[in-house]
Amino acid sequence: MSPSAGADRWSHAYDPTSKVFRFSSWHLLPGDPDAFYEELHDIEAWPSWWPQVRSVEPIDDRSGYVAIRSFLPITLRLKLVALVDDSVSRTLRASLDGDLTGWSRFVVQPAGEGSLLHYDQEARVTKPGAASRFAGAARPLLVANHRSMMRTGLRALVRRAG
């Protein structure tokens, strides 16, 4: 089973005038949920396996700066602060600040012989310049950019931990 084997469920809230994006996705993955959680937990290693995560600079044990870029020529610089880091429920939730403000969450659960990964994000585009000015009009491109990044990350996560 791969992250694109048809078991994925993607959704996003749509308001063409808003700079706020809400994403929710579910993915059936082959492998141990603890292994997936551990890979997602180790954010400093993300650039080694997730191509769109260009850099991670730790601030302390609960926060750091992350630079991400998918297929659009826009690099987003974010400060992530861990809000929930629970290995028992396999839940990671972080606040986002910088070019996006909001939050994101990963939850990994056992699912038969594999794992169910649930990802949620709510973020407002705050990056100065065109990305912010045209966030509403460019919504389909920004959503496709996000999905591309997440699909690539999921494939890499499965190769690494699955």
Side-chain angles (χ1 to χ4, degrees), residues 57-105:
E57 298 172 29
I59 297 170
D60 55 35
D61 64 339
R62 302 215 31 98
S63 62
Y65 295 105
V66 178
I68 57 173
R69 180 175 176 166
S70 193
F71 65 80
L72 291 177
I74 300 168
T75 299
L76 298 175
R77 289 174 173 68
L78 310 172
K79 179 181 179 185
L80 276 61
V81 177
L83 302 174
V84 177
D85 183 352
D86 184 354
S87 62
V88 174
S89 67
R90 294 178 215 86
T91 301
L92 298 166
R93 182 180 166 115
S95 65
L96 309 173
D97 199 10
D99 293 337
L100 301 175
T101 58
W103 57 270
S104 65
R105 176 180 62 196

Side-chain angles (χ1 to χ4, degrees), residues 16-94:
T17 63
S18 177
K19 295 179 185 180
V20 176
F21 290 77
R22 292 177 186 88
F23 297 99
S24 183
S25 59
W26 297 83
H27 311 276
L28 286 173
L29 306 177
D32 176 44
D34 291 323
F36 290 119
Y37 170 82
E38 286 303 320
E39 291 299 333
L40 291 168
H41 180 266
D42 185 8
I43 191 169
E44 288 182 56
W46 285 11
S48 70
W49 58 268
W50 197 339
Q52 292 83 3
V53 178
R54 302 303 172 100
S55 66
V56 174
E57 298 172 29
I59 297 170
D60 55 35
D61 64 339
R62 302 215 31 98
S63 62
Y65 295 105
V66 178
I68 57 173
R69 180 175 176 166
S70 193
F71 65 80
L72 291 177
I74 300 168
T75 299
L76 298 175
R77 289 174 173 68
L78 310 172
K79 179 181 179 185
L80 276 61
V81 177
L83 302 174
V84 177
D85 183 352
D86 184 354
S87 62
V88 174
S89 67
R90 294 178 215 86
T91 301
L92 298 166
R93 182 180 166 115

Side-chain angles (χ1 to χ4, degrees), residues 135-152:
R139 180 172 292 274
L141 279 175
L142 296 173
V143 168
N145 193 63
H146 174 81
R147 284 193 180 163
S148 176
M149 176 182 169
M150 296 305 291
R151 281 195 174 109
T152 302

